Amino acid sequence: MKLRKVTAASATIFALALTATACGSDDSGSKESGSGSGSGGSKSITIGIKFDQPGLGQKTPDGYAGFDVDVATYVAKELGYSEDQIEWKEAKSADRETMLQRGDVDFIAATYSINDERDKLVDFAGPYLLAHQDVLVRADDDSIKSPEDLNNKKLCSVTGSTSAANVKEKLAPKAQLQEYPTYSACLSGLQNKAIDALTTDDSILAGYAAQDNFKGKFKLGGFKMTNENYGIGVKEGSDLKAKINTALEKMVSDGSWEKAVTANFGPANYKNEPAPKIGDIKK
């Protein structure tokens, strides 16, 4: 009799455990790329962009603006998402791989240069823009006329960016590297003479130099030190890569890519390269 009581109790506990496990599975399902649920059960997509890069990715009082934002919005539309179904997240340079690996975002369009090191950690669609590394200096500074002149100068870029490392390792080994959390912080340092030059892609620098409050204060070096192939980052193995590539090809063919370039870079007289072909990485 005692044995039958224990057996019945055990059966009850086992049944409860199964019920709890089933409920837990329903409540903790992992998010799939491009298929997150917004409020009211509507689909949404989470995209990483820069929040502080004029002309490319910038958070403004009216929303988000820039070439990367336009590209990401077009891609999202081709994937089946309207603008109000997009959740924008800030993707700082040092955080991009981690954000993709953790699934914090579905994809990242944030001046994300494709290189071998990053390609080992995430996958890239594109490229969708070919930029070049350059420097921004004060308009009245005539001491930096070539990359070699950066030796013994205070050179700023953001933490996690390859730009300053490229200069120090290949062009000006005596440059004094200063890493700041954002390009905006670098720009403030340049304006206050705490640093001598800001280095990153010419597209980014042109966006800053073209702002109304900075017009006439800075100038581009025009050095074109590297090729920077902007790609859209996705989690390694994601099927979004092929879908995004198809969307990018359509954006170029229907004229939307050129329209976005003109709208975002035109005011700075930025001379962009033609739209790159998918998979064509310029070394």
Side-chain angles (χ1 to χ4, degrees):
M1 186 67 179
K2 184 177 182 181
L3 180 60
R4 286 196 298 271
K5 287 182 179 179
V6 172
T7 301
S10 299
T12 301
I13 293 171
F14 182 66
L16 290 172
L18 285 175
T19 302
T21 301
C23 293
S25 297
D26 288 341
D27 292 341
S28 61
S30 60
K31 176 186 175 186
E32 296 179 4
S33 294
S35 59
S37 294
S39 59
S42 62
K43 290 197 305 181
S44 65
I45 189 166
T46 306
I47 304 173
I49 57 170
K50 292 296 180 64
F51 278 13
D52 67 337
Q53 290 182 352
L56 286 150
Q58 186 177 30
K59 185 177 182 179
T60 73
D62 298 321
Y64 301 89
F67 181 69
D68 284 348
V69 175
D70 289 347
V71 170
T73 301
Y74 186 98
V75 168
K77 182 179 179 181
E78 290 301 304
L79 294 175
Y81 300 91
S82 59
E83 287 190 45
D84 60 3
Q85 291 176 313
I86 298 174
E87 178 186 354
W88 302 104
K89 280 196 174 183
E90 184 175 20
K92 295 181 179 180
S93 295
D95 300 334
R96 291 176 295 201
E97 287 80 34
T98 302
M99 291 177 71
L100 288 170
Q101 291 169 339
R102 285 193 313 221
D104 296 342
V105 292
D106 293 300
F107 67 80
I108 290 178
T111 61
Y112 204 177
S113 297
I114 302 170
N115 62 36
D116 292 340
E117 183 178 350
R118 291 169 179 165
D119 202 30
K120 294 176 183 176
L121 302 173
V122 300
D123 284 346
F124 285 99
Y128 63 92
L129 182 71
L130 176 61
H132 304 284
Q133 185 183 344
D134 203 349
V135 296
L136 192 69
V137 298
R138 289 181 293 276
D140 60 356
D141 186 355
D142 295 324
S143 66
I144 302 174
K145 297 179 179 179
S146 71
E148 291 75 20
D149 292 333
L150 293 168
N151 280 309
N152 300 313
K153 298 286 188 179
K154 292 179 180 178
L155 178 67
C156 187
S157 195
V158 300
T159 305
S161 173
T162 60
S163 299
N166 284 337
V167 173
K168 189 169 179 62
E169 292 172 6
K170 301 175 183 178
L171 301 169
K174 294 183 181 179
Q176 300 173 28
L177 178 58
Q178 310 286 316
E179 290 189 315
Y180 285 21
T182 65
Y183 291 114
S184 295
C186 282
L187 197 68
S188 296
L190 182 61
Q191 185 175 21
N192 298 331
K193 299 186 178 181
I195 60 171
D196 300 305
L198 161 58
T199 185
T200 186
D201 305 344
D202 52 8
S203 56
I204 299 172
L205 297 174
Y208 281 118
Q211 293 180 97
D212 290 338
N213 55 323
F214 291 134
K215 282 183 179 178
K217 295 183 179 180
F218 305 110
K219 61 184 178 182
L220 285 163
F223 300 154
K224 293 191 175 183
M225 295 179 282
T226 64
N227 291 327
E228 303 297 333
N229 302 271
Y230 288 178
I232 292 182
V234 298
K235 189 173 184 178
E236 191 171 20
S238 173
D239 61 358
L240 277 181
K241 177 179 177 179
K243 296 176 182 178
I244 292 172
N245 279 334
T246 299
L248 292 174
E249 289 175 335
K250 182 177 178 181
M251 186 177 187
V252 173
S253 65
D254 70 11
S256 298
W257 185 90
E258 190 65 39
K259 183 179 179 181
V261 168
T262 301
N264 292 290
F265 298 134
N269 296 317
Y270 172 66
K271 295 177 175 58
N272 64 282
E273 300 279 3
K277 294 182 179 179
I278 299 301
D280 184 14
I281 310 298
K282 301 293 185 184
K283 298 296 186 179

